[in-house]
Amino acid sequence: MKHISLFSLALALAGFCSPLNAGNENYFPYGGVPKERPDIELSPAMERVYSDYTAVQPELNELFTNFKYTPITGLDYSNGDGTVSRRDPSKVVRANGKYYVWYTCRRTESPPRGPAGGNDRYPSYDWDLSEIWYATSEDGFHWEEQGVAVRRPEKPNAGWRSVSTPDVFFWKGKYYLYYQAFLEMPGLRGDYCPVSASFADSPDGPWTPANRIIVENGPEGTWDQDKIHDPYPIHYKGKIYLYYKSELGGRPKAPMQGLAISDHPLGPFEKYPLNPVINSGHETGFFPFKEGIAALVGRHGLEHNTIQYAPDGVNFRIASITHLLPIAPGPYAPDAFTDSGDGRGISWGLSHFRSLGGKGRSHSMLTRFDCDLSLDLEDPVFKETDTFVKPDVYYQFPLTENHKAAIRKRMKQAE
Ligand code: AAL
């Protein structure tokens, strides 16, 4: 006879209606979670399957993916000596039968020396004394650098110290580049800057600088008083939805994502009254998806390592949890310029790896990522949640000797 524990018996006698066999020949969730919510009492966790997610398992979730990375060829990094750095790529654009990308390009006689060592010749940070350069590709794997798109303007114009972290927009036959426009050395007081822009009739330029601030820092005491980072424009609901990062002013470092909206690419931009619209992230990649906007939210915050979705472009919620997200993603997202109301999603783009080369050689490099966040793709390889990561990857983040000694001491004291 099947052993019935006293606890189960007590439950049964107490009239607890176990959902185990709620009138079905099977037990919920035997054989897999049903796509429709069953009419039984569920635990909070199982309730969330139906309330919070668009699919009952990752393999069926259009907004879940893992990411696979491929080195890109064609870009030189001066033997990794830290004098050449490329990072923070824009969205990828297709024009003239090829792909285009713009990025922060630093070419300096010295690697970054920190705020104390930075000056007019030596960069403080990896994105200091930088320009916006661009490259083109036939296949998205091999890239050919074409040269500078936006130079640093003369003082006192916004960006005279450095122009970095670009993104691209296409509107009514013109191209626009938005970028961080430093009016002081990054790190002098903090990584403080507003956003400026340039425009052109062709993705190959020539680019005309607006020579003014396009998205201002917030007033003193507001969450975005210091930094307007990672400008990310999307054509949505007939306007320009420009998402950006700021960090709440001062410490702790808590990147969050805001939104500024305008009828014209050069503004005026009005900040969304309920900013921040995403409570985590760092360099956050966005893309139109169905009638809304999706976001790749990595690196920082309560909801880091998530893919989020807002059916209205502002009310973002977690759509899936993932790992090894692209850093500073610049997806190939053709819908970003069409305001189609039926965003098809993304399947590849560029991102960066940073702090390479070791001490005194620090630089960043661009890489390619592939994924399946596309309504027009069904690639099960990207729907695996359990990426097999070899032990040496884990061992790359070891305890320091001091930390290990402190842990040993703590364990001894607890014995
Ligand atoms: C990036 C971005 C911004 C910051 C720095 C360069 O990842 O968040 O651009 O200023 O780091």
Side-chain angles (χ1 to χ4, degrees):
M1 178 178 170
K2 188 171 180 183
H3 172 71
I4 296 180
S5 74
L6 285 177
F7 178 68
S8 305
L9 191 58
L11 277 184
L13 294 173
F16 271 82
C17 164
S18 157
L20 285 180
N21 59 347
N24 294 335
E25 66 287 354
N26 289 326
Y27 288 44
F28 173 87
Y30 171 76
V33 179
K35 286 185 180 171
E36 299 302 323
R37 186 202 183 287
D39 183 16
I40 56 175
E41 188 181 4
L42 295 178
S43 68
M46 292 315 291
E47 198 62 71
R48 272 201 308 279
V49 169
Y50 298 97
S51 61
D52 286 25
Y53 299 99
T54 58
V56 296
Q57 58 193 86
E59 295 75 12
L60 306 175
N61 184 349
E62 291 286 5
L63 281 176
F64 168 75
T65 188
N66 61 47
F67 296 91
K68 296 195 176 299
Y69 294 89
T70 309
I72 61 176
T73 56
L75 302 177
D76 175 71
Y77 288 89
S78 184
N79 294 318
D81 66 3
T83 61
V84 177
S85 184
R86 298 181 183 85
R87 58 179 290 152
D88 294 303
S90 70
K91 292 191 285 293
V92 174
V93 163
R94 185 154 183 81
N96 306 325
K98 52 193 169 184
Y99 297 106
Y100 285 75
V101 70
W102 293 262
Y103 44 85
T104 306
C105 184
R106 177 176 57 75
R107 292 170 177 278
T108 49
E109 60 182 284
S110 156
R113 296 191 172 197
N119 56 34
D120 290 348
R121 285 175 59 191
Y122 302 140
S124 58
Y125 290 159
D126 192 23
W127 52 93
D128 188 16
L129 295 176
S130 294
E131 299 173 314
I132 309 298
W133 283 48
Y134 78 113
T136 59
S137 174
E138 302 295 330
D139 63 2
F141 289 94
H142 178 76
W143 291 83
E144 291 177 20
E145 188 152 74
Q146 300 302 322
V148 67
V150 179
R151 297 186 186 286
R152 292 157 47 201
E154 293 299 317
K155 257 187 181 180
N157 287 305
W160 67 267
R161 173 72 195 189
S162 189
V163 286
S164 81
T165 324
D167 200 13
V168 65
F169 190 60
F170 182 69
W171 171 277
K172 296 181 181 173
K174 279 193 180 303
Y175 291 87
Y176 296 82
L177 281 175
Y178 296 85
Y179 42 84
Q180 294 177 193
F182 287 90
L183 289 152
E184 62 183 44
M185 179 175 75
L188 188 65
R189 294 181 296 147
D191 199 9
Y192 294 178
C193 64
V195 159
S196 188
S198 296
F199 52 91
D201 293 325
S202 155
D204 293 295
W207 293 88
T208 304
N211 272 336
R212 62 184 169 87
I213 294 173
I214 299 296
V215 182
E216 301 269 0
N217 297 81
E220 190 69 24
T222 55
W223 81 288
D224 61 353
Q225 66 174 31
D226 301 329
K227 307 169 182 180
I228 307 293
H229 283 179
D230 305 298
Y232 201 106
I234 288 186
H235 187 178
Y236 187 61
K237 294 187 176 178
K239 295 176 182 289
I240 296 97
Y241 273 49
L242 190 142
Y243 296 93
Y244 64 93
K245 170 192 78 166
S246 198
E247 297 183 0
L248 314 191
R251 292 287 172 202
K253 186 182 174 86
M256 295 189 178
Q257 314 308 314
L259 169 63
I261 301 173
S262 177
D263 293 316
H264 186 278
L266 296 180
F269 278 89
E270 189 173 328
K271 293 182 180 174
Y272 185 65
L274 294 185
N275 275 344
V277 292
I278 293 182
N279 61 33
S280 299
H282 194 106
E283 317 90 343
T284 302
F286 295 82
F287 56 94
F289 189 81
K290 296 183 179 174
E291 76 281 12
I293 302 289
L296 303 176
V297 183
R299 287 185 67 191
H300 293 288
L302 280 174
E303 297 178 347
H304 69 287
N305 287 358
T306 60
I307 297 171
Q308 304 206 8
Y309 180 65
D312 58 2
V314 293
N315 291 302
F316 285 91
R317 297 175 67 86
I318 295 173
S320 75
I321 299 161
T322 187
H323 55 279
L324 293 180
L325 281 91
I327 297 172
Y332 173 54
D335 296 334
F337 313 125
T338 59
D339 195 17
S340 68
D342 177 27
R344 306 306 296 168
I346 61 169
S347 62
W348 71 278
L350 299 189
S351 58
H352 76 223
F353 294 127
R354 68 205 196 282
S355 307
L356 305 174
K359 189 165 172 53
R361 297 164 62 89
S362 183
H363 66 286
S364 302
M365 68 188 297
L366 302 179
T367 188
R368 172 177 167 133
F369 70 87
D370 285 88
C371 65
D372 179 359
L373 292 170
S374 169
L375 293 170
D376 302 321
L377 188 60
E378 292 300 331
D379 189 335
V381 169
F382 290 116
K383 297 298 183 181
E384 273 296 319
T385 58
D386 182 16
T387 298
F388 178 70
V389 179
K390 294 189 175 68
D392 59 350
V393 174
Y394 289 88
Y395 290 137
Q396 276 184 33
F397 312 98
L399 296 171
T400 63
E401 286 310 314
N402 287 346
H403 197 181
K404 207 186 302 183
I407 289 171
R408 288 182 189 280
K409 185 177 175 190
R410 197 164 61 226
M411 291 176 67
K412 207 72 184 154
Q413 287 165 349
E415 284 170 7

